[in-house]
Amino acid sequence: MNRRLIKALLSVLVALTAATWGYSQTRVSMSGDATSVKAWADARFARGKVPPFSFKLDGKSSASMLPYWKWSKEALEAPDPEGFGTRYTWTDPKSGLSVICEVKGVESCDQIEWVLKFMNGSDKQNSGQISDVKAADMAMVFPSQGPLELHYAEGNKISRKDYAPATMVFKAGDATSFEPLGGRSSEEAFPFYNIESEGSSRGVMMSIGWTGTWHSDFEVRKNGTMEVKAGIKNLDTYLKPGEEIRTASVAFLFWSGVQMDGHNKFRRFLLAHRYPKQCTKPILCSGFNYRDPQPFGEYSAITAEWAVAMIHRYRQFDLNPDIFWMDAGWHKGASDYEHGQSWATTTGNWSIDSKRFPDGMKAVSEAAHEGGAKFLLWFEPERVVKGTDWAVEHPEWMLDCHQPEGSEESTWLLFDLGNDEACDWLCKEYGDLIAENGVDCYRQDCNVKPAPYWAANDEPGRTGMKEIRHIENLYKFWDYLLDRFPGMILDNCASGGKRLDWETISRSIPLWRSDYYHYDDPDGYQCHTYGLNYFLPMHGTGILLPDEYSFRSSLSSTLIFNWKITDGGLNLVEMNQRIEEYRQIQDYYLEDYYPLTGDGDLTGHDVWLAYQMNRPSDCSGIVVAFRREDSKTDSITVKLQGLDLDADYSVKVDGSEEETVLSGRSLSEGYTITLLNPKSSTLIKYNRI
């Protein structure tokens, strides 16, 4: 057999040795245990192995190259005191191109993650063409070859279906794929999954970290393995001498039991190890009589005097939030109604309107601080309207996607955050504004789809580079703010919840998870809470009306009450009752979650929706249930979860002083909730005796 044929066969064999996920145990206690995530990493990223990621270099598969490249390993400082970190590097001895995989994990939680980077070590020549980069490319093998289920959520569509839970049951040959639209990471698709092997009572939570256009692919083979691939969607580039890029990160958390055991283990992990510490407590926010003073939208007509007066007014009636919230419209030009301007047509004028705020925001922030609250201020640096200050003063930092005249996008530019000079300038510009005005919470919106701007400005042969540099510097900018202002809360908004992924949740939380504006449709807000709670414990939305049904429909770990307390038709006593109820139950939203009405279509006005928040720390919990206005049934039977079957529980139904004693077994087998009136709700509390 000739050398060429032998080499070809070896390449095929190497390619077939795809990284197999042979993780048979989900609970480990010692780092030296062969079943630990660290031991798994050491084995899978070892010298001569095909690692669980892939790419192509000049069209050639990485699986056929990496086992022969120079390999090295070094310890990284673990970002988590309970975690570990390792950097693995493969270097092509001919070209000097290096592939770097930085692996982190928390063994006590059975969690591992990594990010893939590329560096051209040559100081003279460009690298080969890098394409088809998959940060994860592996075959998952479970102990049982029974059915595999993929549990996921819909992405943000600005609809009642935002974050709707769904399950796909796979049989051999089945496949599915996901990707977001427009360059925002959770628009139309959601980069968090739960892969369950029912037959083996095993599963893995999977997350993708890339705040641009990622993709994920799942396929079950005839041998029962599930092939999993994920990475950046649009990348086909060479690297210039000395150039380095990062790509997507991926994370996996192993669990055993049933589906919700995986989701709840993931929720607990996020609160203990992923979210910034200042973002792990319930947060109650309030506006300044939202959209007042009229007639402008948002806060385009607000003044410092009005804002301070509203703070005093809210405090007068004991309506005390944790954060006072100044949204869009405070900046220069936003109140220029004579020329048809608004907040949306003047982004790019990032200076405070001196007519309405002659001393900046300091008076407003100080008034909030006097009452023990923080002050939040809205920004939107990436969408720049043509003709505004930034566009005129820094045209070299603006990207145009050249849309047809008449379209909204034809009047917009994208701030070139990927330009290092522009990013450094933004850090200081916004950082100084925040410091000078006493801002505690930075809210970043993004109402532009950035993908067309990136694509229109990529250099020939460098597809994806504008996106990569933009996302890299978005993280750099947010990290700068968190370093400069320890304890600052970053509120991540992109038309409401369109940038939720593994990377953004390590830096921020979505206080406003959807721009679904229908305040007269609380059923939609119920759906958002119900679906997003499967994966993320920290998120919130607004509430305009203080009636019980509307208020409970917006309950979550964070909440914004946008009540207009100058409206004579509203009941201040009722408002105080709502806040008191929220304060009593808010901590439950940070513990275990159980959906009680399945994961089918719950968007109709003719259904019941119910969920349970269970607190293992003191064996208590709540059940929140809604009978919608078109429902024909006055009762529903649900099965509570997470209870001690052999214990007794004291159960108190909303509106009743009586307590009923029921066993954990009976509650888990079936508990009937009755609501005689359509469009009504109930809050049930229980405690183990």
Side-chain angles (χ1 to χ4, degrees), residues 276 278 374 439-440 479-489:
Q278 63 270 26
K374 295 181 182 296
V439 177
D440 308 290
D479 291 342
Y480 166 85
L481 292 180
L482 291 171
D483 288 341
R484 181 170 174 179
F485 305 102
M488 169 175 274
I489 293 173

Side-chain angles (χ1 to χ4, degrees), residues 89-248:
T89 303
W90 295 258
T91 302
D92 180 4
K94 294 181 180 179
S95 69
L97 179 68
S98 291
V99 182
I100 304 160
C101 191
E102 295 179 350
V103 181
K104 299 181 291 185
V106 179
E107 292 192 89
S108 60
C109 299
D110 310 315
Q111 185 270 347
I112 190 170
E113 62 186 277
W114 60 85
V115 60
L116 197 60
K117 302 179 179 181
F118 293 86
M119 183 183 72
N120 182 4
S122 171
D123 58 0
K124 296 180 180 179
Q125 62 184 18
N126 295 334
S127 75
Q129 200 73 12
I130 302 165
S131 63
D132 201 18
V133 176
K134 296 179 175 62
D137 188 349
M138 62 189 71
M140 291 187 177
V141 179
F142 293 92
S144 168
Q145 291 194 5
L148 294 176
E149 298 184 356
L150 180 69
H151 307 288
Y152 62 98
E154 298 286 344
N156 186 298
K157 308 169 187 287
I158 313 184
S159 74
R160 210 183 297 170
K161 291 196 70 173
D162 289 358
Y163 316 115
T167 295
M168 180 175 180
V169 181
F170 284 81
K171 60 181 184 296
D174 286 345
T176 191
S177 299
F178 301 89
E179 65 179 80
L181 299 181
R184 294 181 291 185
S185 53
S186 52
E187 182 168 3
E188 300 283 342
F190 194 64
F192 298 90
Y193 309 97
N194 186 356
I195 303 167
E196 180 184 11
S197 168
E198 254 191 76
S200 59
S201 300
R202 296 281 193 274
V204 58
M205 303 294 299
M206 175 181 171
S207 311
I208 302 170
W210 186 250
T211 316
T213 306
W214 51 268
H215 73 94
S216 60
D217 307 294
F218 303 89
E219 182 175 2
V220 171
R221 295 295 190 180
K222 290 182 180 180
N223 62 1
T225 63
M226 174 177 275
E227 290 196 0
V228 177
K229 301 178 182 181
I232 297 178
K233 180 68 176 178
N234 304 310
L235 181 59
D236 189 349
T237 188
Y238 62 85
L239 299 184
K240 297 176 182 179
E243 192 172 30
E244 180 177 351
I245 59 172
R246 69 152 285 175
T247 68

Side-chain angles (χ1 to χ4, degrees), residues 5 50 81 183 198 330 550:
L5 182 56
V50 177
E198 254 191 76
W330 53 266
S550 298

Side-chain angles (χ1 to χ4, degrees), residues 343-344 347-348 350 380-385 412-415 447-448:
W343 72 268
T347 55
W350 290 116
E380 192 188 357
E382 292 157 286
R383 184 177 64 92
V384 179
V385 176
W412 296 348
L413 301 166
L414 183 72
F415 183 74
N447 292 303
V448 59

